[in-house]
Amino acid sequence: MDTEVTLPLALILLAALGACLAAAAATPMGRRFPKPSPEAGRIGERRVIGVVSRTGLPALHDIYLRTPGGATQIDHVVRAGRTLFILETKHYSGACFGRPGERTWTQVSRGAKRRFYNPLLQNDGHVAAVRRAAGWGCRLRPLVVFTGSATFPAGMPAGVVDLPELDRLLARASRWGLPSLRGAVAWRRLQRRAETAETAADAHRRSLRRARVDR
């Protein structure tokens, strides 16, 4: 008698547990946050290029600069007089939370959550690479540009702008940026050192071949 009562009860409990697990997996918090796709990044970069092109300011897009540790990729560098704007593009959606000094920020979308490296800190490395390439004859202004529908409910951190604000900043810079010989020299230095993905990859392969020969 005890067996006949306990077995159905156990089956009911197992079925209920399975239903709860299935429901949890189906909720937004049970989903894994999708990683940003390369195509999303390209969409953001094209939007920034569109804003920059309307200003008529000279610019470099998707360049690589050599660093002591190899090479770093920079989305956009725009020149206005003596100032070089160094732009890191993020094409995100949802709500983002983060402060300038924090190592990682948080993105929340449809209940899913992920952490990502602070793009302001990421852009600091780009600034250092541009400074080494261009020298000290120019002012550097790094900006992180969010081009998607992402919002900052706690306030947008200093150094982060959206596309309309970038448009206003560059339009103002194009009107008020005075000609600068030192800026022109720094820009030429940067142009000479800037590489495309293809040339940077070729240089990397050559360095690997040299390393194998040296062994």
Side-chain angles (χ1 to χ4, degrees), residues 64-66 70-71 195-210:
Y64 287 76
L65 293 175
R66 301 295 179 87
E195 301 182 54
T196 65
E198 291 75 16
T199 58
D202 288 343
H204 180 62
R205 285 192 290 268
R206 287 196 298 271
S207 67
L208 290 177
R209 285 196 294 269
R210 285 196 297 271

Side-chain angles (χ1 to χ4, degrees), residues 58-81:
L60 297 171
H61 305 288
D62 191 20
I63 63 169
Y64 287 76
L65 293 175
R66 301 295 179 87
T67 67
T72 188
Q73 185 269 340
I74 302 173
D75 291 340
H76 318 273
V77 185
V78 184
R79 180 191 166 214

Side-chain angles (χ1 to χ4, degrees), residues 113-125:
K113 180 188 296 186
R114 80 175 184 99
R115 300 183 72 81
F116 62 98
Y117 185 58
N118 181 343
L120 294 172
L121 299 181
Q122 179 185 0
N123 216 19
D124 285 346

Side-chain angles (χ1 to χ4, degrees), residues 7 25 29 48 52 58 67 75 107 111 139 155 169 180 200 211:
L7 184 57
M29 290 305 292
V48 171
V52 172
T67 67
D75 291 340
Q107 180 188 12
R139 291 186 292 264
L169 285 171
S180 168

